[in-house]
Amino acid sequence: MTEALRYLTEKDVVAALTIPRAIDALQRMLVAQAKEGARNVPKALATWGDGSSMHALGSVQPGPGGYAGFKTWVHTKAGGGSLFSLFDADTGLLRAVIEARALGMLRTAAISGVATRALAPEGATQAALIGTGPQAVTQLAALAAVRPLQRVRIHSPTPEKRRAFVEAVAGKYAFAIEESPTLEHALDGAEIVTLITRAVEPFVDAARLADCRHLNAVGAILPAKAEFSQDVFERADRVVVDDLENARRGSRELRERYGADGAPWDGVAVLGDLLARGETRAPDARLTLFKGMGMGLSDLAMARVAYEHARDNGLGVALPPQTRENLLLAQP
């Protein structure tokens, strides 16, 4: 029987993907990539006007039961939208069209979770989360999933937004969640720091990260934006990215440090390669720095779990299956 083409809503995605499941699925995908069992298509990006942008990310995991897919999205000051198109890697037939806002939030949180689990001190209990936008909720959940936290301090520039965020997550975790009136207060004593902002200029420097042992910088993914200063690299024993090509194209921080236009970028490691080799944090490391840019395989890992959960449980909107016969009939 031919499988139905499924349209999955944000609600279907959230029903399928818990944070721990998302983290584990992404780690498996990263290891597969390192072993040449999956690969990315570099991001296509265009910007216009006052900060508007459009993006496309592709990826494929071939082999039995494999998938290929594209996530496309547009962001403007008036709003935006995103979709993921999931294809069967063997037949080329479309299997699902997935609303991708939650998918994107989950994969961004999951990559921070994977990086923190691999690179942060195992006993780290103090963390800071800088940024209180929609993605901050899942970033907090990812930190909680991989480390035995006792306290997380929350900071963003707007008091009303950070207060509302703290109130929204209060009581959901066993550890203390505190609102920080200043950036310095939030970072004081924080062993793990996650930046998830839309900052245009760097606002975190090495001095403010004196207590930090692992930094997730996952908010500035356009070449005109940056979250941390260049002197942070001087403290970092290891610099890790999710995808080297996307970092070359879009990370202002790394481009300023290591050069653009084909510079070798010696000393920058890829997270999947470390995982495949079983490497973790060095015992004497001062600071590990993870720069997450987003990549197609992260979305594909999430889309696969969401689709297979929906298929096996009859979720989503079942549309007429795409078959080769139907495609031929549709030709003019």
Side-chain angles (χ1 to χ4, degrees):
M1 181 177 178
T2 304
E3 292 181 13
L5 168 62
R6 294 186 180 274
Y7 185 92
L8 305 186
T9 66
E10 304 289 1
K11 183 178 179 180
D12 296 322
V13 173
V14 172
L17 278 164
T18 63
I19 286 291
R21 185 181 294 175
I23 291 171
D24 290 342
L26 182 50
Q27 178 152 338
R28 290 192 298 270
M29 183 66 80
L30 293 175
V31 171
Q33 178 194 19
K35 296 180 177 180
E36 300 185 349
R39 63 179 181 270
N40 286 302
V41 176
K43 179 189 289 188
L45 166 68
T47 60
W48 68 94
D50 188 14
S52 295
S53 60
M54 61 186 297
H55 312 247
L57 281 173
S59 53
V60 60
Q61 186 177 26
Y67 297 97
F70 292 93
K71 178 183 172 184
T72 53
W73 75 101
V74 173
H75 173 79
T76 72
K77 286 190 173 181
S82 58
L83 287 172
F84 191 95
S85 303
L86 184 70
F87 295 83
D88 187 306
D90 294 324
T91 66
L93 296 178
L94 184 64
R95 292 302 183 206
V97 176
I98 306 171
E99 294 179 359
R101 184 171 183 269
L103 197 81
M105 292 170 65
L106 286 161
R107 63 93 152 144
T108 304
I111 198 71
S112 295
V114 174
T116 302
R117 185 163 64 182
L119 299 171
E122 290 188 9
T125 62
Q126 309 295 311
L129 178 62
I130 311 304
T132 55
Q135 295 207 41
V137 174
T138 47
Q139 289 289 329
L140 178 61
L143 291 176
V146 298
R147 284 298 180 266
L149 300 177
Q150 295 179 4
R151 184 188 69 192
V152 179
R153 286 178 170 168
I154 310 294
H155 178 74
S156 65
T158 307
E160 295 79 9
K161 290 183 178 180
R162 66 174 183 257
R163 191 169 303 121
F165 179 87
V166 172
E167 290 174 356
V169 298
K172 294 185 177 181
Y173 298 96
F175 50 84
I177 300 176
E178 301 177 1
E179 177 192 354
S180 285
T182 66
L183 178 64
E184 289 76 13
H185 180 267
L187 298 179
D188 183 26
E191 301 161 281
I192 302 170
V193 175
T194 295
L195 309 178
I196 184 71
T197 75
R198 292 190 181 277
V200 175
E201 295 298 330
F203 64 92
V204 173
D205 58 20
R208 289 187 171 98
L209 294 174
D211 298 320
C212 183
R213 298 295 174 262
H214 175 70
L215 174 65
N216 295 310
V218 292
I221 60 171
L222 295 174
K225 298 185 176 183
E227 294 180 305
F228 62 90
S229 302
Q230 290 294 298
D231 63 355
V232 173
F233 288 107
E234 302 300 328
R235 287 199 62 239
D237 301 283
R238 170 156 271 178
V239 177
V240 183
V241 297
D242 53 349
D243 182 76
L244 193 58
E245 183 61 30
N246 286 338
R248 286 182 183 277
R249 289 168 178 252
S251 172
R252 174 178 159 190
E253 295 113 334
L254 271 71
R255 287 164 62 91
E256 289 181 0
R257 173 68 176 181
Y258 297 103
D261 302 324
W265 282 33
D266 294 334
V268 179
V270 177
L271 181 58
D273 294 339
L274 300 182
L275 296 171
R277 295 195 297 265
E279 292 187 30
T280 57
R281 180 185 182 86
D284 58 347
R286 294 175 301 172
L287 174 68
T288 50
L289 191 166
F290 174 70
K291 180 64 184 179
M293 294 296 299
M295 60 178 181
L297 283 172
S298 297
D299 293 297
L300 185 63
M302 304 298 103
R304 176 173 193 152
V305 173
Y307 166 67
E308 292 182 350
H309 178 85
R311 178 198 63 194
D312 296 344
N313 292 277
L315 302 177
V317 179
L319 303 173
Q322 187 186 49
T323 65
R324 296 190 182 281
E325 292 76 13
N326 290 344
L327 291 173
L328 289 172
L329 290 172
Q331 296 298 314

